[in-house]
Amino acid sequence: MRPPDPRTVRSRDAALAAARELLIEHGLAGLTHGAVAARSGISRATLYRLWPESPDLVRDSITLHISLSRTRQTGDLRADLSAALAVTRAMLHEPASEQAMRVMIERASVDPAFAEVKEALYRSGTWTVRAILADAVARAELPADLDIDCAVDQLHGPLFFRRLVANRSFGPDYVRAIVDDFLRCHLTKPAPQQGNR
Amino acid sequence: MRPPDPRTVRSRDAALAAARELLIEHGLAGLTHGAVAARSGISRATLYRLWPESPDLVRDSITLHISLSRTRQTGDLRADLSAALAVTRAMLHEPASEQAMRVMIERASVDPAFAEVKEALYRSGTWTVRAILADAVARAELPADLDIDCAVDQLHGPLFFRRLVANRSFGPDYVRAIVDDFLRCHLTKPAPQQGNR
Protein backbone atom coordinates (compact mmCIF):
# COMPACT_ATOMS: atom_id res chain seq x y z
CA MET A 1 0.00 0.00 0.00
CA ARG A 2 1.24 3.47 -0.83
CA PRO A 3 1.23 6.00 2.00
CA PRO A 4 -1.70 8.42 1.62
CA ASP A 5 -1.06 11.64 -0.31
CA PRO A 6 -0.46 14.42 2.30
CA ARG A 7 -2.87 16.69 0.39
CA THR A 8 -5.58 14.05 0.72
CA VAL A 9 -4.92 13.80 4.46
CA ARG A 10 -5.17 17.60 4.81
CA SER A 11 -8.41 17.71 2.81
CA ARG A 12 -9.83 14.85 4.80
CA ASP A 13 -9.00 16.49 8.15
CA ALA A 14 -10.40 19.87 7.09
CA ALA A 15 -13.58 18.29 5.77
CA LEU A 16 -14.14 16.23 8.92
CA ALA A 17 -13.59 19.23 11.18
CA ALA A 18 -16.28 21.09 9.18
CA ALA A 19 -18.54 18.02 9.22
CA ARG A 20 -18.22 17.76 13.00
CA GLU A 21 -19.19 21.43 13.40
CA LEU A 22 -22.25 20.92 11.19
CA LEU A 23 -23.23 17.86 13.17
CA ILE A 24 -23.02 19.76 16.46
CA GLU A 25 -24.93 22.74 15.10
CA HIS A 26 -27.63 21.06 13.01
CA GLY A 27 -27.63 17.33 13.75
CA LEU A 28 -27.68 14.56 11.17
CA ALA A 29 -30.02 16.48 8.85
CA GLY A 30 -27.44 19.26 8.44
CA LEU A 31 -24.56 16.93 7.59
CA THR A 32 -24.56 16.79 3.77
CA HIS A 33 -21.72 16.70 1.23
CA GLY A 34 -22.91 20.10 -0.04
CA ALA A 35 -22.85 21.73 3.40
CA VAL A 36 -19.40 20.29 4.16
CA ALA A 37 -18.09 21.58 0.80
CA ALA A 38 -19.49 25.06 1.51
CA ARG A 39 -17.96 25.24 4.98
CA SER A 40 -14.58 23.59 4.36
CA GLY A 41 -13.80 24.83 0.86
CA ILE A 42 -13.06 21.24 -0.23
CA SER A 43 -14.66 20.39 -3.57
CA ARG A 44 -17.69 18.14 -3.69
CA ALA A 45 -15.79 15.84 -6.08
CA THR A 46 -13.09 15.28 -3.46
CA LEU A 47 -15.70 14.74 -0.73
CA TYR A 48 -17.54 12.15 -2.79
CA ARG A 49 -14.25 10.42 -3.57
CA LEU A 50 -13.42 10.21 0.17
CA TRP A 51 -16.98 9.35 1.33
CA PRO A 52 -19.03 7.89 -1.51
CA GLU A 53 -22.21 7.56 0.57
CA SER A 54 -23.79 9.75 3.23
CA PRO A 55 -23.46 7.11 6.02
CA ASP A 56 -19.67 6.99 5.39
CA LEU A 57 -19.44 10.71 6.12
CA VAL A 58 -21.74 10.42 9.16
CA ARG A 59 -19.68 7.57 10.61
CA ASP A 60 -16.32 9.35 10.30
CA SER A 61 -17.70 12.66 11.61
CA ILE A 62 -19.24 11.11 14.71
CA THR A 63 -16.14 8.95 15.26
CA LEU A 64 -14.02 12.13 15.22
CA HIS A 65 -16.45 13.79 17.64
CA ILE A 66 -16.30 10.81 20.00
CA SER A 67 -12.50 10.57 19.87
CA LEU A 68 -12.14 14.31 20.63
CA SER A 69 -14.51 13.87 23.59
CA ARG A 70 -12.51 11.01 25.07
CA THR A 71 -11.37 11.40 28.65
CA ARG A 72 -7.86 10.64 29.83
CA GLN A 73 -7.48 7.75 32.26
CA THR A 74 -5.98 8.53 35.68
CA GLY A 75 -6.02 4.99 37.13
CA ASP A 76 -8.69 5.96 39.70
CA LEU A 77 -11.46 3.57 38.68
CA ARG A 78 -14.38 5.50 40.16
CA ALA A 79 -13.19 8.85 38.83
CA ASP A 80 -12.38 7.43 35.37
CA LEU A 81 -15.78 5.73 34.97
CA SER A 82 -17.57 8.88 36.18
CA ALA A 83 -15.66 11.05 33.69
CA ALA A 84 -16.34 8.69 30.78
CA LEU A 85 -20.06 8.48 31.59
CA ALA A 86 -20.22 12.25 32.00
CA VAL A 87 -19.30 12.44 28.29
CA THR A 88 -22.11 9.98 27.46
CA ARG A 89 -24.49 12.02 29.60
CA ALA A 90 -23.49 15.22 27.74
CA MET A 91 -24.06 13.57 24.33
CA LEU A 92 -27.49 12.37 25.45
CA HIS A 93 -28.44 15.95 26.41
CA GLU A 94 -27.00 17.90 23.44
CA PRO A 95 -29.95 18.23 21.03
CA ALA A 96 -27.98 17.35 17.87
CA SER A 97 -26.22 14.25 19.20
CA GLU A 98 -29.31 13.10 21.11
CA GLN A 99 -31.39 13.30 17.95
CA ALA A 100 -28.63 11.56 15.95
CA MET A 101 -28.74 8.63 18.37
CA ARG A 102 -32.53 8.39 18.15
CA VAL A 103 -32.42 8.40 14.34
CA MET A 104 -29.64 5.83 14.33
CA ILE A 105 -31.60 3.45 16.59
CA GLU A 106 -34.52 3.59 14.20
CA ARG A 107 -32.58 3.56 10.88
CA ALA A 108 -30.15 0.81 11.92
CA SER A 109 -32.86 -1.85 11.86
CA VAL A 110 -34.07 -1.05 8.34
CA ASP A 111 -30.99 0.33 6.51
CA PRO A 112 -27.83 -1.85 6.42
CA ALA A 113 -25.59 1.18 5.82
CA PHE A 114 -26.84 2.76 9.05
CA ALA A 115 -26.51 -0.56 10.87
CA GLU A 116 -22.83 -0.61 9.92
CA VAL A 117 -22.43 3.02 11.05
CA LYS A 118 -24.15 2.31 14.36
CA GLU A 119 -21.92 -0.72 14.96
CA ALA A 120 -18.82 1.47 14.45
CA LEU A 121 -20.24 4.14 16.78
CA TYR A 122 -21.16 1.59 19.41
CA ARG A 123 -17.53 0.37 19.29
CA SER A 124 -15.98 3.83 19.54
CA GLY A 125 -18.60 5.12 21.98
CA THR A 126 -17.95 2.33 24.48
CA TRP A 127 -14.18 2.14 23.87
CA THR A 128 -13.19 4.34 26.83
CA VAL A 129 -15.29 2.44 29.36
CA ARG A 130 -13.98 -0.89 28.01
CA ALA A 131 -10.38 0.32 28.39
CA ILE A 132 -11.03 1.55 31.96
CA LEU A 133 -12.65 -1.76 32.94
CA ALA A 134 -9.87 -3.86 31.34
CA ASP A 135 -7.23 -1.85 33.23
CA ALA A 136 -9.11 -2.32 36.50
CA VAL A 137 -9.26 -6.07 35.84
CA ALA A 138 -5.49 -6.04 35.21
CA ARG A 139 -5.00 -4.23 38.55
CA ALA A 140 -7.29 -6.86 40.17
CA GLU A 141 -9.73 -4.18 41.33
CA LEU A 142 -12.39 -5.94 39.28
CA PRO A 143 -12.66 -9.75 39.05
CA ALA A 144 -10.73 -11.55 36.29
CA ASP A 145 -13.95 -13.16 35.02
CA LEU A 146 -15.85 -9.84 34.71
CA ASP A 147 -18.08 -9.92 31.61
CA ILE A 148 -16.98 -6.64 30.03
CA ASP A 149 -19.84 -6.48 27.50
CA CYS A 150 -22.35 -6.91 30.32
CA ALA A 151 -20.55 -4.32 32.45
CA VAL A 152 -20.68 -1.84 29.55
CA ASP A 153 -24.46 -2.41 29.36
CA GLN A 154 -24.85 -1.92 33.12
CA LEU A 155 -23.01 1.41 32.97
CA HIS A 156 -24.36 2.88 29.70
CA GLY A 157 -27.77 1.15 29.66
CA PRO A 158 -29.46 3.07 32.50
CA LEU A 159 -28.39 6.43 30.99
CA PHE A 160 -29.73 5.56 27.53
CA PHE A 161 -32.95 4.11 28.97
CA ARG A 162 -33.63 7.17 31.13
CA ARG A 163 -32.93 9.65 28.34
CA LEU A 164 -34.24 7.91 25.20
CA VAL A 165 -37.03 5.68 26.57
CA ALA A 166 -38.22 7.45 29.74
CA ASN A 167 -37.50 10.84 28.09
CA ARG A 168 -36.11 12.25 31.34
CA SER A 169 -33.07 14.46 31.75
CA PHE A 170 -30.60 13.83 34.55
CA GLY A 171 -27.54 15.36 36.17
CA PRO A 172 -24.13 14.27 37.47
CA ASP A 173 -25.70 12.82 40.67
CA TYR A 174 -27.48 10.20 38.61
CA VAL A 175 -24.24 9.19 36.86
CA ARG A 176 -22.50 8.97 40.25
CA ALA A 177 -25.25 6.68 41.62
CA ILE A 178 -24.95 4.33 38.63
CA VAL A 179 -21.13 4.15 39.00
CA ASP A 180 -21.37 3.67 42.79
CA ASP A 181 -23.88 0.81 42.46
CA PHE A 182 -21.76 -0.82 39.75
CA LEU A 183 -18.64 -0.71 41.93
CA ARG A 184 -20.56 -1.85 45.03
CA CYS A 185 -21.61 -4.90 43.06
CA HIS A 186 -18.32 -5.73 41.30
CA LEU A 187 -15.28 -4.42 43.22
CA THR A 188 -13.06 -7.29 44.37
CA LYS A 189 -11.91 -5.41 47.46
CA PRO A 190 -12.84 -2.21 49.30
CA ALA A 191 -11.02 0.92 48.16
CA PRO A 192 -7.64 1.37 49.93
CA GLN A 193 -8.03 3.44 53.10
CA GLN A 194 -4.71 5.26 52.60
CA GLY A 195 -3.96 4.67 56.29
CA ASN A 196 -0.21 4.05 55.96
CA ARG A 197 1.03 7.60 55.29
CA MET B 1 -70.48 10.88 34.01
CA ARG B 2 -72.75 8.30 32.41
CA PRO B 3 -71.53 4.70 32.38
CA PRO B 4 -70.26 3.78 28.91
CA ASP B 5 -72.74 2.18 26.51
CA PRO B 6 -72.16 -1.62 26.63
CA ARG B 7 -72.19 -1.72 22.82
CA THR B 8 -69.39 0.82 22.76
CA VAL B 9 -67.40 -1.27 25.22
CA ARG B 10 -67.89 -4.38 23.06
CA SER B 11 -66.86 -2.53 19.90
CA ARG B 12 -63.84 -1.09 21.66
CA ASP B 13 -62.71 -4.49 22.96
CA ALA B 14 -63.20 -6.19 19.58
CA ALA B 15 -61.34 -3.41 17.77
CA LEU B 16 -58.41 -3.46 20.20
CA ALA B 17 -58.11 -7.25 19.98
CA ALA B 18 -57.88 -6.91 16.18
CA ALA B 19 -55.46 -3.99 16.50
CA ARG B 20 -53.20 -6.01 18.78
CA GLU B 21 -53.13 -8.89 16.27
CA LEU B 22 -52.22 -6.48 13.47
CA LEU B 23 -49.47 -4.98 15.62
CA ILE B 24 -47.98 -8.40 16.34
CA GLU B 25 -48.20 -9.48 12.70
CA HIS B 26 -47.16 -6.31 10.87
CA GLY B 27 -45.78 -3.82 13.39
CA LEU B 28 -46.72 -0.15 13.62
CA ALA B 29 -46.98 0.23 9.83
CA GLY B 30 -49.81 -2.34 9.70
CA LEU B 31 -51.86 -0.71 12.44
CA THR B 32 -54.28 1.59 10.56
CA HIS B 33 -57.96 2.41 11.14
CA GLY B 34 -58.75 0.76 7.79
CA ALA B 35 -56.98 -2.51 8.64
CA VAL B 36 -58.65 -2.65 12.07
CA ALA B 37 -62.07 -2.07 10.45
CA ALA B 38 -61.44 -4.87 7.93
CA ARG B 39 -60.37 -7.37 10.57
CA SER B 40 -62.84 -6.53 13.37
CA GLY B 41 -65.93 -5.67 11.35
CA ILE B 42 -66.29 -2.42 13.35
CA SER B 43 -67.05 0.54 11.10
CA ARG B 44 -64.37 3.12 10.38
CA ALA B 45 -66.74 5.82 11.69
CA THR B 46 -66.88 4.10 15.09
CA LEU B 47 -63.11 3.59 15.11
CA TYR B 48 -62.45 7.26 14.36
CA ARG B 49 -64.93 8.26 17.09
CA LEU B 50 -63.08 6.06 19.64
CA TRP B 51 -59.55 6.94 18.43
CA PRO B 52 -59.53 10.22 16.51
CA GLU B 53 -55.80 10.07 15.73
CA SER B 54 -53.47 7.23 14.83
CA PRO B 55 -51.30 7.60 17.97
CA ASP B 56 -54.44 7.12 20.15
CA LEU B 57 -55.02 3.74 18.53
CA VAL B 58 -51.33 2.79 18.78
CA ARG B 59 -51.22 3.68 22.48
CA ASP B 60 -54.29 1.65 23.46
CA SER B 61 -53.24 -1.36 21.35
CA ILE B 62 -49.77 -1.54 22.84
CA THR B 63 -51.15 -0.92 26.34
CA LEU B 64 -53.48 -3.90 25.85
CA HIS B 65 -50.56 -5.99 24.59
CA ILE B 66 -48.43 -5.04 27.59
CA SER B 67 -51.25 -5.72 30.09
CA LEU B 68 -51.91 -9.17 28.56
CA SER B 69 -48.19 -9.95 28.82
CA ARG B 70 -48.02 -9.04 32.49
CA THR B 71 -46.67 -11.68 34.83
CA ARG B 72 -48.28 -12.62 38.12
CA GLN B 73 -46.28 -11.84 41.28
CA THR B 74 -45.38 -14.76 43.53
CA GLY B 75 -43.56 -12.84 46.27
CA ASP B 76 -40.21 -14.41 45.31
CA LEU B 77 -38.27 -11.28 44.40
CA ARG B 78 -35.65 -12.94 42.18
CA ALA B 79 -38.20 -15.07 40.32
CA ASP B 80 -40.65 -12.19 39.89
CA LEU B 81 -38.02 -9.80 38.50
CA SER B 82 -36.71 -12.50 36.16
CA ALA B 83 -40.22 -13.25 34.87
CA ALA B 84 -41.01 -9.55 34.31
CA LEU B 85 -37.73 -8.95 32.47
CA ALA B 86 -38.27 -12.10 30.39
CA VAL B 87 -41.35 -10.34 28.99
CA THR B 88 -39.25 -7.26 28.19
CA ARG B 89 -36.64 -9.50 26.57
CA ALA B 90 -39.34 -11.17 24.43
CA MET B 91 -40.70 -7.78 23.28
CA LEU B 92 -37.20 -6.66 22.34
CA HIS B 93 -36.76 -9.77 20.17
CA GLU B 94 -40.20 -9.95 18.45
CA PRO B 95 -39.66 -8.08 15.15
CA ALA B 96 -42.91 -6.08 15.32
CA SER B 97 -42.60 -4.84 18.89
CA GLU B 98 -38.84 -4.28 18.54
CA GLN B 99 -39.40 -2.13 15.48
CA ALA B 100 -42.26 -0.29 17.23
CA MET B 101 -39.91 0.64 20.08
CA ARG B 102 -37.24 1.88 17.67
CA VAL B 103 -39.77 4.03 15.79
CA MET B 104 -41.17 5.36 19.05
CA ILE B 105 -37.72 6.41 20.31
CA GLU B 106 -37.16 8.38 17.13
CA ARG B 107 -40.67 9.84 16.70
CA ALA B 108 -41.12 10.81 20.36
CA SER B 109 -38.55 13.57 20.11
CA VAL B 110 -40.11 15.27 17.09
CA ASP B 111 -43.87 14.49 17.35
CA PRO B 112 -45.70 15.48 20.57
CA ALA B 113 -48.45 12.90 19.95
CA PHE B 114 -45.84 10.13 19.90
CA ALA B 115 -44.12 11.60 22.95
CA GLU B 116 -47.40 11.28 24.85
CA VAL B 117 -47.84 7.71 23.60
CA LYS B 118 -44.31 6.77 24.59
CA GLU B 119 -44.80 8.24 28.07
CA ALA B 120 -47.92 6.07 28.53
CA LEU B 121 -46.04 2.99 27.27
CA TYR B 122 -43.06 3.70 29.49
CA ARG B 123 -45.47 3.82 32.45
CA SER B 124 -47.31 0.60 31.60
CA GLY B 125 -44.13 -1.17 30.42
CA THR B 126 -42.34 -0.56 33.72
CA TRP B 127 -45.43 -0.99 35.91
CA THR B 128 -44.79 -4.67 36.81
CA VAL B 129 -41.17 -4.11 37.83
CA ARG B 130 -42.17 -1.06 39.91
CA ALA B 131 -44.84 -3.10 41.71
CA ILE B 132 -42.38 -5.94 42.40
CA LEU B 133 -39.78 -3.52 43.77
CA ALA B 134 -42.32 -1.65 45.94
CA ASP B 135 -43.52 -4.94 47.44
CA ALA B 136 -39.94 -6.01 48.17
CA VAL B 137 -39.34 -2.67 49.90
CA ALA B 138 -42.50 -3.24 51.98
CA ARG B 139 -41.15 -6.70 52.94
CA ALA B 140 -37.80 -5.02 53.82
CA GLU B 141 -35.95 -7.18 51.29
CA LEU B 142 -34.90 -3.98 49.57
CA PRO B 143 -33.92 -0.81 51.47
CA ALA B 144 -36.64 1.71 52.32
CA ASP B 145 -34.72 4.48 50.55
CA LEU B 146 -34.33 2.54 47.25
CA ASP B 147 -34.68 4.92 44.29
CA ILE B 148 -37.29 2.99 42.32
CA ASP B 149 -36.86 5.03 39.11
CA CYS B 150 -33.14 4.37 39.17
CA ALA B 151 -33.71 0.68 39.92
CA VAL B 152 -36.08 0.43 36.95
CA ASP B 153 -33.31 1.92 34.75
CA GLN B 154 -30.73 -0.54 36.15
CA LEU B 155 -32.98 -3.49 35.32
CA HIS B 156 -34.45 -2.44 31.95
CA GLY B 157 -31.58 -0.24 30.74
CA PRO B 158 -28.99 -2.95 30.01
CA LEU B 159 -31.56 -4.98 28.00
CA PHE B 160 -32.58 -1.99 25.86
CA PHE B 161 -28.97 -0.90 25.38
CA ARG B 162 -27.82 -4.36 24.29
CA ARG B 163 -30.72 -4.86 21.88
CA LEU B 164 -31.36 -1.38 20.45
CA VAL B 165 -27.91 0.26 20.65
CA ALA B 166 -25.45 -2.66 20.48
CA ASN B 167 -27.86 -4.55 18.14
CA ARG B 168 -27.12 -7.84 19.90
CA SER B 169 -29.61 -10.55 20.77
CA PHE B 170 -29.47 -12.26 24.15
CA GLY B 171 -31.03 -15.13 26.06
CA PRO B 172 -32.41 -15.88 29.53
CA ASP B 173 -28.86 -16.19 30.97
CA TYR B 174 -28.25 -12.52 30.30
CA VAL B 175 -31.49 -11.52 32.05
CA ARG B 176 -30.53 -13.72 35.01
CA ALA B 177 -27.10 -12.06 35.27
CA ILE B 178 -28.66 -8.57 35.30
CA VAL B 179 -31.15 -9.56 38.02
CA ASP B 180 -28.43 -11.30 40.08
CA ASP B 181 -26.14 -8.27 39.94
CA PHE B 182 -29.01 -5.95 40.85
CA LEU B 183 -29.91 -8.06 43.91
CA ARG B 184 -26.26 -8.48 44.91
CA CYS B 185 -26.02 -4.71 44.99
CA HIS B 186 -29.31 -3.86 46.67
CA LEU B 187 -30.63 -6.71 48.85
CA THR B 188 -30.79 -5.69 52.50
CA LYS B 189 -30.06 -9.20 53.74
CA PRO B 190 -28.86 -12.48 52.23
CA ALA B 191 -31.58 -14.83 50.99
CA PRO B 192 -32.87 -17.11 53.75
CA GLN B 193 -30.91 -20.35 53.89
CA GLN B 194 -33.99 -22.50 54.63
CA GLY B 195 -31.91 -24.34 57.23
CA ASN B 196 -34.65 -24.75 59.86
CA ARG B 197 -36.76 -27.42 58.25
Side-chain angles (χ1 to χ4, degrees):
Chain A
M1 247 171 63
R2 290 184 309 173
D5 182 332
R7 282 168 306 178
T8 303
V9 172
R10 274 200 301 278
S11 298
R12 188 176 181 283
D13 289 352
L16 281 183
R20 175 172 173 255
E21 288 173 13
L22 288 166
L23 192 69
I24 292 169
E25 291 166 23
H26 306 293
L28 277 187
L31 183 51
T32 63
H33 285 74
V36 173
R39 179 164 301 205
S40 66
I42 313 293
S43 73
R44 279 169 179 257
T46 301
L47 296 179
Y48 275 106
R49 189 161 49 72
L50 289 166
W51 299 283
E53 305 283 345
S54 174
D56 303 323
L57 182 57
V58 170
R59 181 194 55 232
D60 287 358
S61 307
I62 305 189
T63 301
L64 172 68
H65 183 55
I66 290 174
S67 69
L68 289 177
S69 308
R70 252 179 213 161
T71 52
R72 200 178 296 272
Q73 284 181 241
T74 66
D76 177 334
L77 177 56
R78 189 178 307 265
D80 286 348
L81 286 177
S82 299
L85 290 185
V87 171
T88 302
R89 175 185 159 260
M91 286 195 184
L92 284 166
H93 288 79
E94 288 158 6
S97 51
E98 181 200 345
Q99 183 56 19
M101 284 191 265
R102 291 180 185 272
V103 170
M104 214 81 78
I105 284 170
E106 195 273 317
R107 284 290 90 199
S109 71
V110 288
D111 181 334
F114 268 100
E116 192 256 328
V117 170
K118 187 145 80 60
E119 176 65 24
L121 297 180
Y122 165 71
R123 288 266 150 229
S124 56
T126 59
W127 186 91
T128 308
V129 164
R130 279 174 204 282
I132 294 168
L133 293 172
D135 282 6
V137 169
R139 292 194 306 266
E141 284 182 56
L142 292 174
D145 64 352
L146 181 76
D147 180 334
I148 300 236
D149 279 320
C150 186
V152 163
D153 299 345
Q154 289 175 319
L155 289 163
H156 284 93
L159 280 61
F160 275 75
F161 187 79
R162 176 157 293 209
R163 187 67 185 141
L164 303 183
V165 180
N167 272 13
R168 305 287 191 276
S169 57
F170 53 87
D173 284 356
Y174 179 79
V175 173
R176 204 169 304 128
I178 295 296
V179 171
D180 285 350
D181 278 355
F182 175 82
L183 294 179
R184 193 141 57 98
C185 178
H186 292 289
L187 273 185
T188 50
K189 54 186 180 193
Q193 293 298 312
Q194 307 192 338
N196 52 353
R197 295 186 188 181
Chain B
M1 247 172 64
R2 288 186 308 174
D5 181 333
R7 283 168 307 179
T8 304
V9 172
R10 275 199 301 275
S11 299
R12 189 177 180 283
D13 290 352
L16 281 183
R20 176 173 172 253
E21 288 173 13
L22 289 165
L23 192 69
I24 292 169
E25 291 166 23
H26 306 293
L28 277 187
L31 184 52
T32 62
H33 285 74
V36 173
R39 180 163 300 205
S40 66
I42 313 294
S43 74
R44 278 169 181 257
T46 301
L47 296 179
Y48 276 106
R49 191 162 46 74
L50 289 166
W51 299 284
E53 305 281 347
S54 173
D56 303 322
L57 181 58
V58 170
R59 181 194 55 231
D60 287 358
S61 309
I62 305 189
T63 302
L64 173 68
H65 183 55
I66 290 174
S67 68
L68 289 178
S69 310
R70 253 178 213 160
T71 52
R72 200 179 295 274
Q73 283 180 243
T74 65
D76 176 333
L77 177 57
R78 189 178 306 264
D80 287 348
L81 286 177
S82 299
L85 290 185
V87 171
T88 302
R89 174 184 160 261
M91 286 196 184
L92 284 165
H93 287 79
E94 288 158 7
S97 52
E98 181 200 345
Q99 183 56 19
M101 284 191 265
R102 292 181 185 272
V103 170
M104 215 81 78
I105 285 171
E106 194 273 317
R107 285 289 91 197
S109 73
V110 288
D111 181 334
F114 268 100
E116 192 257 329
V117 170
K118 186 143 81 61
E119 175 66 23
L121 296 180
Y122 164 71
R123 288 267 151 227
S124 55
T126 59
W127 186 91
T128 308
V129 164
R130 278 175 205 282
I132 294 167
L133 294 172
D135 283 5
V137 168
R139 292 194 306 265
E141 285 183 55
L142 292 174
D145 64 352
L146 181 76
D147 181 334
I148 299 236
D149 280 319
C150 187
V152 163
D153 299 345
Q154 288 175 319
L155 289 163
H156 284 92
L159 280 61
F160 276 75
F161 187 78
R162 175 156 292 207
R163 187 68 186 141
L164 303 184
V165 180
N167 273 12
R168 304 288 191 275
S169 58
F170 54 88
D173 284 357
Y174 179 79
V175 173
R176 203 169 303 127
I178 295 295
V179 171
D180 284 350
D181 279 356
F182 175 82
L183 294 179
R184 193 141 56 100
C185 178
H186 292 290
L187 274 186
T188 49
K189 53 186 179 193
Q193 293 297 311
Q194 307 192 337
N196 51 353
R197 295 184 189 183

